[in-house]
Structure formats: structure tokens, C-alpha cells
Amino acid sequence: KAGRFGTYYQHGTVEVASSCMLHKRRQRYEKHIEVADGDGFGVPSPEPAAALLSRLAFNWLSPLLKLGNERPLEFHDLYQLAESDRAASILSVFDRKWGQSGGSVSLFRTLVHSFGGLFAQAALIKLVHDSTIFVGPHMLRRIIEFLEDRSAPLSDGLLYAFGLLMAGTVQSVCLRQYFFRCFRTGMRVRSCTVALVYRKALVLSPGARQRMTSGKITNLMSVDAQRLQETVTYLQVQTGCSEETV
């Protein structure tokens, strides 16, 4: 229960700080939702214009969550995809990297060059998260030693408690940001795979169409693309488990 309270307190602290600093920006987002024309495409996502604390705490989603709490969300209530997450932009990035490959063209290498930057960011964030895991037990040991030593100054105990709070806060924020980047990378890989298969299917020769049925094409665009997305999303979990074990 104490650990759960600490997690809620950490989220609450970041949320309050973000709300206080971004109150005007948040009002602008809510006003933007109210004037939506309901064209079925939603309003532009506030994420690109959100400040640092708003991104860390996902406070830019608060207006949408508040609206969903008041009534069931409609399709036009949802935010538009960011420009970098749209299929046209994703395929454009892939085509550019494919053209830069020269003679040694590799699908895997091109996917890494196209979407590996965000995946590398997630790896660094996961490293910070895994490192802070060991700070909590160390701070708890220090707090126990402080409680047993009656002559220890009060400032030491406050310092250890603050260190425990900050370690838990950093760990919680890093974990959410890590999964957010991994899921976004997996979504981009899946979108790129589906777009490539669909584009190839449009230019198949009659002989190739006889060998590659519509069922196989659909299977590539649904099942196999989904497996690629899940692999990218949870790939770093394996390295993280090995790191924590060591």
C-alpha cells in the first residue's frame, strides 16, 4: 500500500506542477476542441506544441480525457495523428532512406535507419529507469539506519526521503516515456510495412498475382505486420531483463 501511495503521489506531483505551469495552454486546447467542425478528422494534436512537463506527464491529453469522462467520445473528438505518424510521411522517410542505401539495399537496415532514432531514445530512457531501480532499496537502507541512529541530524532523514521520492518519480516517468516511444516506433514500422505491401500489390504482374493470392497479401498486411509491431515494442524488454539480472 505504501508503494502504491508513493506512485500515486509521484504522478500527482508531476501532474500538479504541469497543470500550474501550462494552465493557459490547456485552456487554449479546450477551446480548440469546442470549436471543432466535426469533419470526421478531429482537431490537430496538441502534443507538438506541448511544453516539456506536459509531455512528461502526458498532460496534453487531459482535455480529451476530461471530455471522455463527461460523455462517450466520438470519432471527431479524437486528435489527428501527428504529421510524423501519418502513413504518407512514414513511407516518404522510408523511401528516402532506401534511396540513400546505394547498392547494398536491405529492408532491415532501411527500417533501422528510418525509425531507429526514436527506438534509441527509448533504450536510453530504459537505461535510466533500470538504474533508478537500485536507488530505492539503497535509500530505504539509509532511512532505516537513520531511524536507528538517534543522534543523526534531521536533515539526513529528509535528504534520504527526498532521494527516495525523486528516484520513484524518475523511474515512473521514464517507464511511461519508454513505452510511449516503443509503441510509437512499432506503430511506424507496422504502418510502413502495410504501405509497402499494398504498394507492391498494386503493381504485381498477372503471373505474380496467381502465385500471391489476396489472402496471402491480407495476411501480410494484418498478421505479419502486427507481429513486427509487437516485436519492436517489446524487444528491449529482453535486454532490460538481462541488465537487471546482472
Side-chain angles (χ1 to χ4, degrees):
K1 293 183 178 179
R4 184 180 303 173
F5 173 77
T7 302
Y8 291 157
Y9 179 78
Q10 294 153 12
H11 280 291
T13 302
V14 176
E15 179 71 20
V16 170
S18 178
S19 299
C20 292
M21 296 183 64
L22 304 170
H23 181 64
K24 293 183 179 180
R25 190 184 298 267
R26 185 174 172 184
Q27 285 181 337
R28 187 177 67 192
Y29 294 157
E30 292 176 349
K31 182 179 179 181
H32 195 28
I33 290 179
E34 292 175 358
V35 300
D37 56 3
D39 59 357
F41 293 97
V43 298
S45 173
E47 182 194 1
L52 178 61
L53 282 179
S54 180
R55 292 192 177 200
L56 290 178
F58 298 99
N59 196 46
W60 53 274
L61 274 173
S62 296
L64 185 63
L65 297 178
K66 180 181 178 182
L67 183 63
N69 186 54
E70 295 172 355
R71 63 171 176 81
L73 291 175
E74 302 291 340
F75 181 76
H76 63 269
D77 295 325
L78 303 179
Y79 295 141
Q80 297 178 10
L81 279 175
E83 185 66 27
S84 58
D85 292 329
R86 299 183 182 183
S89 300
I90 292 172
L91 193 58
S92 176
V93 172
F94 179 87
D95 289 339
R96 186 173 66 254
K97 297 296 183 181
W98 183 273
Q100 295 174 356
S101 300
S104 58
V105 177
S106 170
L107 177 62
F108 174 76
R109 189 179 306 144
T110 306
L111 287 174
V112 171
H113 291 168
S114 302
F115 315 112
L118 192 62
F119 195 68
Q121 292 180 18
L124 293 176
I125 294 175
K126 186 66 164 58
L127 180 62
V128 175
H129 166 267
D130 294 342
S131 301
T132 54
I133 291 179
F134 306 101
V135 177
H138 180 70
M139 289 292 103
L140 285 175
R141 181 173 62 85
R142 291 289 187 178
I143 291 176
I144 294 175
E145 293 176 354
F146 167 77
L147 295 175
E148 293 177 349
D149 187 4
R150 297 183 179 273
S151 62
L154 179 61
S155 59
D156 290 351
L158 295 176
L159 181 62
Y160 298 149
F162 180 75
L164 181 63
L165 173 64
M166 290 303 299
T169 302
V170 171
Q171 181 179 346
S172 179
V173 171
C174 286
L175 186 62
R176 272 66 188 176
Q177 292 296 324
Y178 157 75
F179 274 113
F180 180 71
R181 281 165 172 77
C182 283
F183 276 106
R184 171 168 274 180
T185 305
M187 178 191 66
R188 292 179 180 178
V189 171
R190 182 178 184 273
S191 298
C192 182
T193 304
V194 172
L196 289 174
V197 173
Y198 179 76
R199 187 170 64 180
K200 182 64 176 179
L202 294 178
V203 296
L204 285 177
S205 63
R209 288 185 180 276
Q210 293 180 357
R211 296 190 303 269
M212 183 63 65
T213 63
S214 59
K216 291 182 178 180
I217 296 175
T218 303
N219 188 63
L220 288 173
M221 297 175 63
S222 57
V223 179
D224 293 344
Q226 181 65 29
R227 288 175 179 172
L228 274 177
Q229 178 180 2
E230 294 174 354
T231 300
V232 173
T233 302
Y234 297 104
L235 181 62
Q236 297 193 35
V237 174
Q238 302 296 329
T239 59
C241 292
S242 303
E243 178 187 345
E244 294 177 15
T245 302
V246 174

